[in-house]
Amino acid sequence: MNERDPGKGHVIVIGGGITGLAAAHRLLGAGARVTVLEAGRRLGGKLHAGEIEGRSVDLGAESVLARRPEAVDLARAAGLGDALQPPATTKASVWSRGALRPMPAGHVMGVPGDPAALAASGVLSDEGLRAIAAEKPQGPFEGDDVAIGEYVAEHFGREVVDRLVEPLLGGVYAGDAYRISMRAAVPQLFEAVREHGSLAESVRAVQERTAAQRLTGPVFMGIEGGIGRLPVAVAEAVRAAGGTVLTRTPVLRLTRRTGPDGTAQWEVVVREDTAGPRALTADAVVLAVPAPAAATLLSAESPAAAAELAAVEYASMALVTMAFRRADAVAALPEGSGFLVPPVEGHAIKASTFSSAKWRWAGDEELFLLRTSLGRQGEAEVLDREDGELVELSRRDLAEATGLAAAPVASRVDRWYGGLPQYPVGHLGRVARVREHLGKLPGLRVCGAAYDGVGIPACVASGVRAADEITKTLTKTANGAE
């Protein structure tokens, strides 16, 4: 056992989304033998590139935060460096108080830091502006966590939450700002409010720290042809490096056993498309699936971790993609990349992205592509409506917001059931407890959007972290330390 090369260890990665693929890519680089198991027919999870009227389009996530390096670095490692592109425009609007109004500059996830820009935008009423100006410092926050909507409303009033924070967080989590953890969702602001006596001072402190970092380059990046190309390219790189990637291979059971040489192993029972159940063995397992699926697979080996994971809530949403004649769209749509919709406005859609304005590669001289999103936490019933009804709801709101009354040349609806994990107050404590429970099972790690952040760079980083911890476990085992 002491002579064993850790590079020969076999690791099974359960889940072929970008998190699992990033973990597999990292493990292969460390010398492990890797098998990726994906239950569905395609890889990538919520990164999915498709077509409408023969034009490429993202049907899921469409950009990555470039100020975090993980996703951009992975794209380059997978051969997509030349395809990375910044948005053609970052100008966006908020459909607030009956009109499209410019997104005010100088905010931290919707929490304003530039009073002049906020007033000029018209997003808030005079009463809302006065509430912000009247903030009374209450001393540094001393708790372990707080809902960002609750804290901001207490200091700045509800209007700024309802018309700025809510639509921005809704774009990330499709959740409720009055429940979302500040510590988990906006950690830099949380640390600032623990130091300062006012929210205004806290926002300025975050902005000053950001400026001191002297960050350069675009904030966001896309990939020509769609972010959905990223998991496909990473899977190809995994296969090229000797890894095995299987689709339509759901995992039925996960069991820790003792191998023939007395070492601990994992048995992974799968169901294959053309055969019955089959058992695979591995020295370690990376579980890169949504929390409910992880809870099911861990129920026997770690009931405590499974119970925590089963309590993670998810939000569902639908994306309606439409192709318009370019002349019709350009004549009606305002400049910019699109707009956000505060729930308090009472409209069906929560956002619209003008894809052909935002990305140089989207659409062409004939067609203009755009998409809308519908559904928030607690509103899953909207996804039960027929495709045609969702298209008409989107068209109605687009016409009211922008004047675009033309009929689309083509449309499609993509539903993402349970697509976004929610981060309520206490979420980070739950994640810590899950990892504490699983620490008793050497050779097993969990990763993904439910743990370390819902953005693509955060998911990649989560997969890399799991892979590095597994590599250390294999090395210790090879050296007889287990």
Side-chain angles (χ1 to χ4, degrees):
M1 185 65 183
N2 292 342
E3 300 301 318
R4 178 178 156 203
D5 179 357
K8 302 301 183 183
H10 180 212
V11 184
I12 291 179
V13 178
I14 303 174
I18 192 59
T19 305
L21 292 169
H25 187 268
R26 184 77 164 193
L27 286 162
L28 283 162
R33 183 165 61 90
V34 177
T35 301
V36 178
L37 305 175
E38 166 57 41
R41 293 179 175 272
R42 65 169 187 84
L43 300 166
K46 287 168 281 296
L47 278 63
H48 182 26
E51 290 188 349
I52 184 169
E53 282 295 284
R55 279 72 169 182
S56 297
V57 65
D58 271 313
L59 305 174
E62 59 155 6
S63 65
V64 301
L65 179 64
R67 292 286 171 84
R68 282 195 63 164
E70 296 91 347
V72 170
D73 288 350
L74 182 62
R76 289 178 175 138
L80 293 176
D82 292 341
L84 289 164
Q85 290 187 6
T89 177
T90 57
K91 181 180 178 181
S93 303
V94 181
W95 190 6
S96 179
R97 301 172 56 237
L100 289 182
R101 304 178 187 277
M103 174 66 69
H107 65 85
V108 176
M109 194 54 77
V111 184
D114 186 337
L118 180 61
S121 72
V123 170
L124 300 189
S125 66
D126 291 343
E127 182 180 355
L129 294 172
R130 286 193 294 269
I132 295 172
E135 182 201 11
K136 295 179 181 179
Q138 301 175 19
F141 179 74
E142 296 181 353
D144 292 331
D145 201 356
V146 66
I148 184 169
E150 174 188 328
Y151 187 89
V152 174
E154 182 179 357
H155 285 254
F156 280 179
R158 289 184 63 95
E159 189 176 349
V160 69
V161 178
D162 294 342
R163 297 191 177 278
L164 275 175
V165 179
E166 188 79 82
L168 276 161
L169 280 177
V172 177
Y173 295 94
D176 180 355
Y178 291 96
R179 294 186 61 203
I180 293 174
S181 160
M182 185 191 295
R183 183 183 172 197
V186 197
Q188 69 274 30
L189 184 60
F190 180 73
E191 291 304 318
V193 302
R194 299 183 74 180
E195 298 175 14
H196 299 279
S198 79
L199 182 56
E201 290 178 5
S202 299
V203 173
R204 285 194 293 271
V206 172
Q207 293 170 332
E208 288 170 2
R209 289 170 188 169
T210 301
Q213 294 174 359
R214 299 182 183 278
L215 300 173
T216 60
V219 177
F220 295 96
M221 294 283 274
I223 293 176
E224 184 176 359
I227 284 290
R229 293 179 59 196
L230 178 59
V232 176
V234 176
E236 290 175 354
V238 166
R239 290 186 176 109
T244 300
V245 181
L246 303 176
T247 57
R248 297 183 289 188
T249 310
V251 175
L252 305 178
R253 189 169 63 253
L254 181 62
T255 308
R256 186 165 167 80
R257 300 193 182 284
T258 301
D261 60 356
T263 62
Q265 290 185 329
W266 287 93
E267 181 181 87
V268 180
V269 178
V270 302
R271 184 180 68 243
E272 296 178 311
D273 233 13
T274 57
R278 179 166 70 101
L280 307 176
T281 59
D283 299 288
V285 170
V286 173
L287 203 50
V289 295
T296 299
L297 292 175
L298 291 170
S299 59
E301 294 295 332
S302 183
E308 294 281 5
L309 289 168
V312 176
E313 298 180 36
Y314 278 74
S316 301
M317 62 180 296
L319 292 176
V320 178
T321 306
M322 292 175 277
F324 291 87
R325 293 182 181 84
R326 179 171 283 275
D328 293 337
V330 171
L333 297 177
E335 292 184 0
S337 62
F339 61 90
L340 300 174
V341 185
V344 72
E345 286 288 325
H347 299 293
I349 67 173
K350 68 176 186 178
S352 179
T353 300
F354 307 156
S355 303
S356 292
K358 187 173 183 178
W359 306 111
R360 294 178 179 86
W361 56 266
D364 52 30
E365 66 279 0
E366 295 180 1
L367 293 184
F368 188 102
L369 310 183
L370 66 76
R371 69 182 194 175
T372 62
S373 59
L374 303 93
R376 300 177 176 88
Q377 186 185 20
E379 298 180 5
E381 67 277 0
V382 71
L383 277 67
D384 295 332
R385 299 188 180 190
E386 298 291 336
D387 287 4
E389 188 175 359
L390 293 181
V391 172
E392 287 307 309
L393 286 171
S394 297
R395 289 188 59 199
R396 182 192 67 193
D397 282 351
L398 282 168
E400 184 178 346
T402 71
L404 177 60
V409 174
S411 62
R412 63 173 293 165
V413 176
D414 293 274
R415 293 170 176 81
W416 295 98
Y417 290 100
L420 288 168
Q422 299 301 291
Y423 282 24
V425 172
H427 179 76
L428 295 183
R430 168 169 285 131
V431 171
R433 291 191 297 274
V434 168
R435 286 182 164 144
E436 181 181 0
H437 293 313
L438 296 183
K440 302 170 185 176
L441 299 174
L444 176 71
R445 291 295 184 273
V446 292
C447 54
Y451 307 96
D452 303 305
V454 300
I456 299 172
C459 288
V460 171
S462 185
V464 168
R465 169 182 170 172
D468 289 346
E469 291 177 357
I470 287 295
T471 297
K472 290 179 182 178
T473 298
L474 293 177
T475 301
K476 288 179 180 178
T477 303
N479 292 333
E482 186 176 74

